[in-house]
PDB file of all heavy atoms in Angstrom:
ATOM      1  N   ASP B1166     -74.914  98.047-159.713  1.00 97.00           N
ATOM      2  CA  ASP B1166     -75.653  98.197-160.970  1.00 97.00           C
ATOM      3  C   ASP B1166     -75.547  99.616-161.525  1.00 97.00           C
ATOM      4  O   ASP B1166     -75.734  99.848-162.715  1.00 97.00           O
ATOM      5  CB  ASP B1166     -77.134  97.849-160.735  1.00 97.00           C
ATOM      6  CG  ASP B1166     -77.752  98.691-159.647  1.00 97.00           C
ATOM      7  OD1 ASP B1166     -77.419  98.493-158.457  1.00 97.00           O
ATOM      8  OD2 ASP B1166     -78.557  99.576-159.968  1.00 97.00           O
ATOM      9  N   GLU B1167     -75.227 100.580-160.685  1.00 97.00           N
ATOM     10  CA  GLU B1167     -75.194 101.974-161.141  1.00 97.00           C
ATOM     11  C   GLU B1167     -73.838 102.303-161.773  1.00 97.00           C
ATOM     12  O   GLU B1167     -73.079 103.143-161.275  1.00 97.00           O
ATOM     13  CB  GLU B1167     -75.515 102.930-159.977  1.00 97.00           C
ATOM     14  CG  GLU B1167     -76.923 102.712-159.434  1.00 97.00           C
ATOM     15  CD  GLU B1167     -77.463 103.903-158.653  1.00 97.00           C
ATOM     16  OE1 GLU B1167     -77.125 105.055-159.007  1.00 97.00           O
ATOM     17  OE2 GLU B1167     -78.220 103.670-157.697  1.00 97.00           O
ATOM     18  N   VAL B1168     -73.577 101.642-162.887  1.00 96.00           N
ATOM     19  CA  VAL B1168     -72.276 101.713-163.554  1.00 96.00           C
ATOM     20  C   VAL B1168     -71.903 103.152-163.937  1.00 96.00           C
ATOM     21  O   VAL B1168     -70.767 103.588-163.750  1.00 96.00           O
ATOM     22  CB  VAL B1168     -72.302 100.843-164.833  1.00 96.00           C
ATOM     23  CG1 VAL B1168     -70.904 100.723-165.423  1.00 96.00           C
ATOM     24  CG2 VAL B1168     -72.872  99.468-164.524  1.00 96.00           C
ATOM     25  N   ASP B1169     -72.889 103.877-164.437  1.00 97.00           N
ATOM     26  CA  ASP B1169     -72.609 105.229-164.941  1.00 97.00           C
ATOM     27  C   ASP B1169     -72.212 106.205-163.850  1.00 97.00           C
ATOM     28  O   ASP B1169     -71.565 107.218-164.109  1.00 97.00           O
ATOM     29  CB  ASP B1169     -73.846 105.791-165.667  1.00 97.00           C
ATOM     30  CG  ASP B1169     -74.187 104.944-166.886  1.00 97.00           C
ATOM     31  OD1 ASP B1169     -73.299 104.194-167.330  1.00 97.00           O
ATOM     32  OD2 ASP B1169     -75.338 105.025-167.357  1.00 97.00           O
ATOM     33  N   LYS B1170     -72.642 105.915-162.635  1.00 97.00           N
ATOM     34  CA  LYS B1170     -72.365 106.859-161.545  1.00 97.00           C
ATOM     35  C   LYS B1170     -71.187 106.417-160.678  1.00 97.00           C
ATOM     36  O   LYS B1170     -70.909 107.035-159.645  1.00 97.00           O
ATOM     37  CB  LYS B1170     -73.612 107.003-160.658  1.00 97.00           C
ATOM     38  CG  LYS B1170     -74.794 107.654-161.334  1.00 97.00           C
ATOM     39  CD  LYS B1170     -75.743 108.209-160.270  1.00 97.00           C
ATOM     40  CE  LYS B1170     -77.200 108.039-160.663  1.00 97.00           C
ATOM     41  NZ  LYS B1170     -78.085 107.984-159.509  1.00 97.00           N
ATOM     42  N   ARG B1171     -70.517 105.350-161.079  1.00 98.00           N
ATOM     43  CA  ARG B1171     -69.456 104.801-160.236  1.00 98.00           C
ATOM     44  C   ARG B1171     -68.358 105.822-159.942  1.00 98.00           C
ATOM     45  O   ARG B1171     -67.865 106.511-160.828  1.00 98.00           O
ATOM     46  CB  ARG B1171     -68.838 103.577-160.922  1.00 98.00           C
ATOM     47  CG  ARG B1171     -67.750 102.900-160.090  1.00 98.00           C
ATOM     48  CD  ARG B1171     -67.034 101.800-160.869  1.00 98.00           C
ATOM     49  NE  ARG B1171     -67.751 100.533-160.891  1.00 98.00           N
ATOM     50  CZ  ARG B1171     -67.700  99.606-159.937  1.00 98.00           C
ATOM     51  NH1 ARG B1171     -66.982  99.826-158.845  1.00 98.00           N
ATOM     52  NH2 ARG B1171     -68.357  98.472-160.068  1.00 98.00           N
ATOM     53  N   GLN B1172     -68.003 105.924-158.658  1.00 98.00           N
ATOM     54  CA  GLN B1172     -66.899 106.798-158.244  1.00 98.00           C
ATOM     55  C   GLN B1172     -65.770 106.006-157.592  1.00 98.00           C
ATOM     56  O   GLN B1172     -64.669 106.512-157.423  1.00 98.00           O
ATOM     57  CB  GLN B1172     -67.398 107.845-157.229  1.00 98.00           C
ATOM     58  CG  GLN B1172     -68.308 108.913-157.819  1.00 98.00           C
ATOM     59  CD  GLN B1172     -68.678 109.979-156.796  1.00 98.00           C
ATOM     60  OE1 GLN B1172     -68.256 109.930-155.649  1.00 98.00           O
ATOM     61  NE2 GLN B1172     -69.473 110.937-157.227  1.00 98.00           N
ATOM     62  N   VAL B1173     -66.067 104.761-157.196  1.00 98.00           N
ATOM     63  CA  VAL B1173     -65.053 103.950-156.523  1.00 98.00           C
ATOM     64  C   VAL B1173     -64.783 102.707-157.373  1.00 98.00           C
ATOM     65  O   VAL B1173     -65.682 101.884-157.584  1.00 98.00           O
ATOM     66  CB  VAL B1173     -65.525 103.520-155.114  1.00 98.00           C
ATOM     67  CG1 VAL B1173     -64.415 102.772-154.389  1.00 98.00           C
ATOM     68  CG2 VAL B1173     -65.988 104.721-154.303  1.00 98.00           C
ATOM     69  N   ALA B1174     -63.557 102.583-157.874  1.00 98.00           N
ATOM     70  CA  ALA B1174     -63.205 101.449-158.722  1.00 98.00           C
ATOM     71  C   ALA B1174     -63.183 100.164-157.893  1.00 98.00           C
ATOM     72  O   ALA B1174     -62.885 100.197-156.697  1.00 98.00           O
ATOM     73  CB  ALA B1174     -61.832 101.672-159.365  1.00 98.00           C
ATOM     74  N   THR B1175     -63.506  99.060-158.565  1.00 97.00           N
ATOM     75  CA  THR B1175     -63.495  97.766-157.885  1.00 97.00           C
ATOM     76  C   THR B1175     -62.126  97.516-157.232  1.00 97.00           C
ATOM     77  O   THR B1175     -62.037  97.017-156.111  1.00 97.00           O
ATOM     78  CB  THR B1175     -63.789  96.642-158.903  1.00 97.00           C
ATOM     79  OG1 THR B1175     -64.996  96.977-159.574  1.00 97.00           O
ATOM     80  CG2 THR B1175     -63.946  95.309-158.208  1.00 97.00           C
ATOM     81  N   GLU B1176     -61.048  97.920-157.941  1.00 97.00           N
ATOM     82  CA  GLU B1176     -59.695  97.687-157.421  1.00 97.00           C
ATOM     83  C   GLU B1176     -59.466  98.397-156.087  1.00 97.00           C
ATOM     84  O   GLU B1176     -58.759  97.885-155.213  1.00 97.00           O
ATOM     85  CB  GLU B1176     -58.633  98.177-158.432  1.00 97.00           C
ATOM     86  CG  GLU B1176     -58.576  97.379-159.730  1.00 97.00           C
ATOM     87  CD  GLU B1176     -59.799  97.603-160.623  1.00 97.00           C
ATOM     88  OE1 GLU B1176     -60.353  98.726-160.613  1.00 97.00           O
ATOM     89  OE2 GLU B1176     -60.235  96.650-161.293  1.00 97.00           O
ATOM     90  N   GLN B1177     -60.069  99.578-155.950  1.00 98.00           N
ATOM     91  CA  GLN B1177     -59.918 100.310-154.686  1.00 98.00           C
ATOM     92  C   GLN B1177     -60.525  99.510-153.532  1.00 98.00           C
ATOM     93  O   GLN B1177     -59.959  99.450-152.448  1.00 98.00           O
ATOM     94  CB  GLN B1177     -60.616 101.679-154.760  1.00 98.00           C
ATOM     95  CG  GLN B1177     -59.912 102.684-155.641  1.00 98.00           C
ATOM     96  CD  GLN B1177     -60.734 103.963-155.746  1.00 98.00           C
ATOM     97  OE1 GLN B1177     -61.599 104.104-156.612  1.00 98.00           O
ATOM     98  NE2 GLN B1177     -60.477 104.912-154.846  1.00 98.00           N
ATOM     99  N   GLY B1178     -61.689  98.930-153.806  1.00 98.00           N
ATOM    100  CA  GLY B1178     -62.345  98.104-152.790  1.00 98.00           C
ATOM    101  C   GLY B1178     -61.492  96.905-152.434  1.00 98.00           C
ATOM    102  O   GLY B1178     -61.277  96.609-151.247  1.00 98.00           O
ATOM    103  N   ILE B1179     -60.984  96.234-153.457  1.00 98.00           N
ATOM    104  CA  ILE B1179     -60.144  95.050-153.239  1.00 98.00           C
ATOM    105  C   ILE B1179     -58.936  95.408-152.388  1.00 98.00           C
ATOM    106  O   ILE B1179     -58.580  94.719-151.429  1.00 98.00           O
ATOM    107  CB  ILE B1179     -59.691  94.455-154.600  1.00 98.00           C
ATOM    108  CG1 ILE B1179     -60.901  93.924-155.369  1.00 98.00           C
ATOM    109  CG2 ILE B1179     -58.644  93.353-154.396  1.00 98.00           C
ATOM    110  CD1 ILE B1179     -60.602  93.495-156.805  1.00 98.00           C
ATOM    111  N   LYS B1180     -58.314  96.546-152.761  1.00 98.00           N
ATOM    112  CA  LYS B1180     -57.102  96.977-152.071  1.00 98.00           C
ATOM    113  C   LYS B1180     -57.364  97.273-150.586  1.00 98.00           C
ATOM    114  O   LYS B1180     -56.613  96.841-149.702  1.00 98.00           O
ATOM    115  CB  LYS B1180     -56.570  98.250-152.765  1.00 98.00           C
ATOM    116  CG  LYS B1180     -55.096  98.485-152.551  1.00 98.00           C
ATOM    117  CD  LYS B1180     -54.650  99.654-153.410  1.00 98.00           C
ATOM    118  CE  LYS B1180     -53.459 100.348-152.773  1.00 98.00           C
ATOM    119  NZ  LYS B1180     -53.166 101.642-153.405  1.00 98.00           N
TER     120      LYS B1180
END
Side-chain angles (χ1 to χ4, degrees):
Chain B
D1166 57 289
E1167 297 200 33
V1168 189
D1169 297 342
K1170 294 201 217 154
R1171 182 187 278 276
Q1172 290 185 0
V1173 184
T1175 307
E1176 293 70 33
Q1177 288 175 272
I1179 294 172
K1180 203 173 152 192

